[in-house]
Amino acid sequence: MSDQLLAEAHRFLAWARERGARLDGTDESVWFVQGVLESMADDPDEDPSFRAVKCLGYSVYLAELLADTCTGVERVIDGEGMGLNEVLAVREGGAMQFTLTWVQRCLDDPKSDNIVFKYAGALRDFGEHERSKALNAELREATKH
């Protein structure tokens, strides 16, 4: 794990919270992340280095949210120094969720690669069935409008 990458992600998340980002450690905050990623997808001319830091920060946030709220799950950063390969939420001997890949794919196609849908699936995979069902119900309701 890269301590440098984790520190950079946490600096970004602190900066984002100071500016009003709704990253409060709840399942509902994943909707905020989805909205930010949709905005980023609409702005491909954003400074590439800032965009990379944002991707790192939001992928760490999602992995840590899963780790903090799902029994036996840990956040893992696969990288060395400032070289990032992947950010994951991992349950030993079980499921793995690749949150950096989620973020990157959402930027490519925010509607097809919806973060809330992926997060709900991760909750299911990590045994949080009721929370997963609740988010899926919210997704169904949101797509009706």
Side-chain angles (χ1 to χ4, degrees), residues 4-70:
Q4 289 173 295
L5 288 167
L6 183 59
E8 184 69 20
H10 286 165
R11 274 191 296 276
F12 167 75
L13 292 170
W15 176 86
R17 284 182 180 108
E18 288 170 6
R19 282 151 186 78
R22 292 186 312 264
L23 303 171
D24 60 3
T26 64
D27 291 341
E28 289 73 29
S29 67
V30 179
W31 288 99
F32 174 81
V33 174
Q34 175 69 28
V36 169
L37 296 175
E38 288 176 12
S39 294
M40 288 173 64
D42 289 340
D43 184 16
D45 297 327
E46 181 176 42
D47 175 56
S49 61
F50 186 51
R51 190 177 188 90
V53 169
K54 288 167 75 174
C55 288
L56 169 65
Y58 290 122
S59 63
V60 166
Y61 176 76
L62 292 166
E64 288 182 345
L65 183 57
L66 288 164
D68 291 346
T69 62
C70 299

Side-chain angles (χ1 to χ4, degrees), residues 66-85:
L66 288 164
D68 291 346
T69 62
C70 299
T71 303
V73 175
E74 295 182 25
R75 179 252 316 124
V76 175
I77 297 178
D78 179 15
E80 191 170 317
M82 289 302 283
L84 177 63
N85 298 319

